[in-house]
């Protein structure tokens, strides 16, 4: 959980010399965020993880590259990382959270299957469900909120509040 710059550098090193035409991420929001970052540092023309980290740390513009296409297969509820161009990375040396944001970081496809959440321990289901609720609530006070985003946020929040009690008692309830 909570991928950092060290994990990004390790992934870059592990993939060194290998062609990367597509990244497929299967997991929770942290896995999806790391996949986005890998797709960005492996883009043609990218200067690599160290330079991207420097840009993020110093608040400088990112290189103008198009990320390698990536596919999201989320296995938890929560961040909605499969639908955004943002990736959270932790700078553990500086003890702060960084946000990698680039228009090319939207997933090319997202495969959503609630069966992938079956078997999660209740604390994980609860935590990721509450994360989804917080994402809905945060969007309401976003300065770019619109009537449409407010309606979607309200529907999402209502869905979470309806689903969590059901899942507590019936964790195999796919509709919830």
């Amino acid at each position: 959980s909570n991928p950092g710059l060290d994990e990004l550098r390790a992934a870059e090193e592990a993939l060194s010399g290998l062609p990367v035409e597509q990244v497929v991420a299967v997991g929770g929001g942290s896995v999806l965020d790391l996949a986005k970052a890998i797709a960005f540092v492996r883009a043609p023309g990218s200067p690599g993880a160290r330079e991207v980290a420097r840009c993020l740390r110093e608040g400088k513009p990112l290189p103008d590259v198009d990320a390698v296409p990536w596919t999201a297969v989320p296995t938890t509820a929560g961040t909605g990382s499969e639908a955004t161009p943002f990736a959270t990375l932790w700078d553990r040396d500086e003890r702060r959270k960084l946000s990698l944001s680039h228009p090319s970081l939207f997933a090319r496809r997202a495969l959503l299957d609630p069966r992938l959440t079956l078997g999660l321990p209740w604390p994980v289901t609860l935590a990721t469900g509450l994360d989804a609720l917080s994402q809905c609530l945060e969007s309401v006070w976003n300065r770019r909120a619109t009537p449409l985003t407010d309606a979607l946020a309200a529907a999402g929040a209502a869905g979470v509040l309806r689903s969590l009690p059901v899942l507590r008692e019936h964790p195999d309830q796919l509709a919830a």
Side-chain angles (χ1 to χ4, degrees), residues 92-159:
R92 291 190 178 83
D93 294 338
E94 300 289 326
R95 304 181 95 182
R96 65 184 186 141
K97 182 167 68 168
L98 302 171
S99 182
L100 174 62
S101 174
H102 194 270
S104 71
L105 289 178
F106 281 105
R108 291 286 173 94
R109 55 193 76 67
L111 307 174
L112 308 175
D113 185 346
R115 292 174 296 182
L116 296 175
T117 67
L118 294 177
L120 286 175
W122 170 245
V124 174
T125 299
L126 178 61
T128 59
L130 292 175
D131 188 16
L133 178 61
S134 74
Q135 299 291 332
C136 292
L137 297 176
E138 286 177 11
S139 74
V140 172
W141 61 75
N142 184 306
R143 61 188 165 130
R144 295 185 194 156
T146 67
L148 174 61
T149 61
D150 285 347
L152 292 171

Side-chain angles (χ1 to χ4, degrees), residues 36 38-44 65-70 102 104-105 108:
K36 287 182 199 185
I38 291 168
F40 194 78
V41 301
R42 290 307 306 250
V65 299
D66 286 327
V68 171
W70 76 282
H102 194 270
S104 71
L105 289 178
R108 291 286 173 94

